[in-house]
Amino acid sequence: QMDLCIEAFGTSKQKRALNSRRMNAVGSDILNTAVTKAAANIIDAKGVTALIQDVAQDDVQNISIFLPPCNEDADKPADVYKFEDILSPAEYEALRVPAAVFVNITPEEITKKTQDKSHCSFVLEELKFLPADEKSRDHKARCLWFLDMLIKFSYLKVIKKKNPMGPECPHIISRKLMKNFTSVTYNNGSVQNLISASMKAKIAAYVIALALHVNNFQTDLTVLQNDLKLQESRMMDIARAMRLKVSKAKGLPGLENDQNHKLGTLSVPLPVQKASGSQRKRKKIN
């Protein structure tokens, strides 16, 4: 329908572009055949194992594009992923009102929210340990409210509403989510915002960065992974790309008998970035 409109009412430039696109489409079958043949030749020449290793390397590099800004020369963990790069001062101020529900929460309300599963597991657990100091309590409440909103936002696929997180979400936060954590696509004559796999990885990276600030730069990656509904391998790739040291969460409260949890620690100087972890794992599978 759009093409017919361009034919009937379009400018000369639009009509030339339409003709060019149609001519290119004619040769698409020939191009696809050539690409398929070339791919087969590459596989024969290089081997499947080597190609899988290349994909693993590319995957780590692709993840790094979506990480929060990283200051590799920081002299303290707080400056590696600066808080202001996660939440601007204006965004942080906008969280004061909605986060008040966390500031004043009671143990009974936490129990009820846990039963209702109205918030992610990480947030429900952290609400049990809000600081008594008023300023610190308010700060942590704001961080947890935004972290919970980020995780819930990651569950969406195609976003059709202007304010998908509801009226309690401040406009500046809703705009941030749409602008920074969605991909824009064109479908059936309209523009759509969707959360692609790469955008979900970006959300995960920002969730990890915020959780590190909340937890003195050491956090349970497995709890976050389950909340984000990601595979463990994907979560570990993101954590290592963020230069975290990953270890078993032995000895954490409530996890003494659970060796399956992974703990992520951010410390300086940052470890040298390596992309070999995924490759070694895939070699063993082969």
Side-chain angles (χ1 to χ4, degrees):
Q1 290 178 348
M2 183 66 72
D3 289 349
L4 290 175
C5 287
I6 291 173
E7 282 182 335
F9 308 108
T11 63
S12 298
K13 185 177 180 180
Q14 289 173 326
K15 289 177 180 178
R16 285 197 302 272
L18 175 61
N19 289 334
S20 177
R21 179 161 54 79
R22 284 176 170 171
M23 289 179 68
N24 289 336
V26 171
S28 63
D29 289 339
I30 298 173
L31 179 61
N32 287 337
T33 302
V35 169
T36 302
K37 186 175 180 180
N41 290 338
I42 292 171
I43 291 172
D44 290 340
K46 195 165 186 178
V48 174
T49 301
L51 286 172
I52 289 175
Q53 292 176 7
D54 287 348
V55 170
Q57 175 71 26
D58 290 344
D59 194 41
V60 172
Q61 291 174 346
N62 288 339
I63 288 173
S64 66
I65 298 172
F66 301 104
L67 302 183
C70 177
N71 177 15
E72 296 193 3
D73 300 322
D75 56 6
K76 57 182 179 179
D79 289 339
V80 176
Y81 298 106
K82 291 184 178 180
F83 188 79
E84 294 76 13
D85 290 327
I86 303 171
L87 282 167
S88 72
E91 292 160 353
Y92 182 77
E93 175 58 29
L95 292 171
R96 180 177 57 83
V97 173
V101 67
F102 285 173
V103 172
N104 304 313
I105 200 166
T106 64
E108 293 75 21
E109 288 173 330
I110 294 174
T111 300
K112 186 177 187 306
K113 286 179 179 294
T114 302
Q115 293 170 347
D116 297 341
K117 297 181 179 179
S118 55
H119 302 290
C120 67
S121 298
F122 178 88
V123 169
L124 289 169
E125 187 63 24
E126 289 298 325
L127 284 173
K128 298 175 184 176
F129 305 103
L130 289 175
D133 174 71
E134 185 178 344
K135 186 175 180 180
S136 299
R137 189 180 183 90
D138 175 61
H139 173 73
K140 186 170 183 178
R142 296 192 203 196
C143 293
L144 291 177
W145 195 93
F146 179 65
L147 189 148
D148 190 63
M149 195 60 56
L150 261 180
I151 290 177
K152 288 176 179 176
F153 189 71
S154 74
Y155 299 157
L156 305 179
K157 293 182 180 179
V158 177
I159 301 168
K160 299 177 181 178
K161 297 180 181 178
K162 188 175 182 180
N163 191 353
M165 305 314 294
E168 73 277 7
C169 183
H171 177 69
I172 190 173
I173 299 298
S174 181
R175 190 172 64 215
K176 177 187 183 72
L177 295 174
M178 295 291 284
K179 180 181 178 181
N180 295 333
F181 300 105
T182 67
S183 301
V184 178
T185 185
Y186 188 77
N187 186 39
N188 292 331
S190 63
V191 175
Q192 291 182 338
N193 293 82
L194 60 88
I195 298 177
S196 61
S198 59
M199 285 296 106
K200 187 150 187 173
K202 183 177 183 180
I203 290 173
Y206 276 75
V207 164
I208 291 172
L210 190 54
L212 289 168
H213 277 275
V214 168
N215 274 341
N216 198 25
F217 305 99
Q218 187 176 74
T219 192
D220 190 322
L221 295 171
T222 302
V223 173
L224 293 175
Q225 169 211 320
N226 292 335
D227 282 337
L228 287 160
K229 300 179 181 178
L230 288 175
Q231 291 184 344
E232 183 182 86
S233 58
R234 185 65 165 168
M235 193 68 171
M236 294 306 107
D237 282 344
I238 296 169
R240 291 190 178 99
M242 294 180 71
R243 317 282 278 278
L244 302 187
K245 178 184 176 183
V246 179
S247 58
K248 289 184 178 180
K250 183 178 179 181
L252 286 183
L255 297 176
E256 290 85 353
N257 299 320
D258 189 347
Q259 299 296 312
N260 296 320
H261 280 241
K262 297 293 191 302
L263 188 70
T265 304
L266 180 65
S267 58
V268 294
L270 295 176
V272 177
Q273 194 166 18
K274 296 179 181 179
S276 58
S278 299
Q279 295 175 12
R280 283 198 300 269
K281 194 179 292 183
R282 296 182 193 212
K283 269 187 181 179
K284 290 178 183 178
I285 293 172
N286 291 331

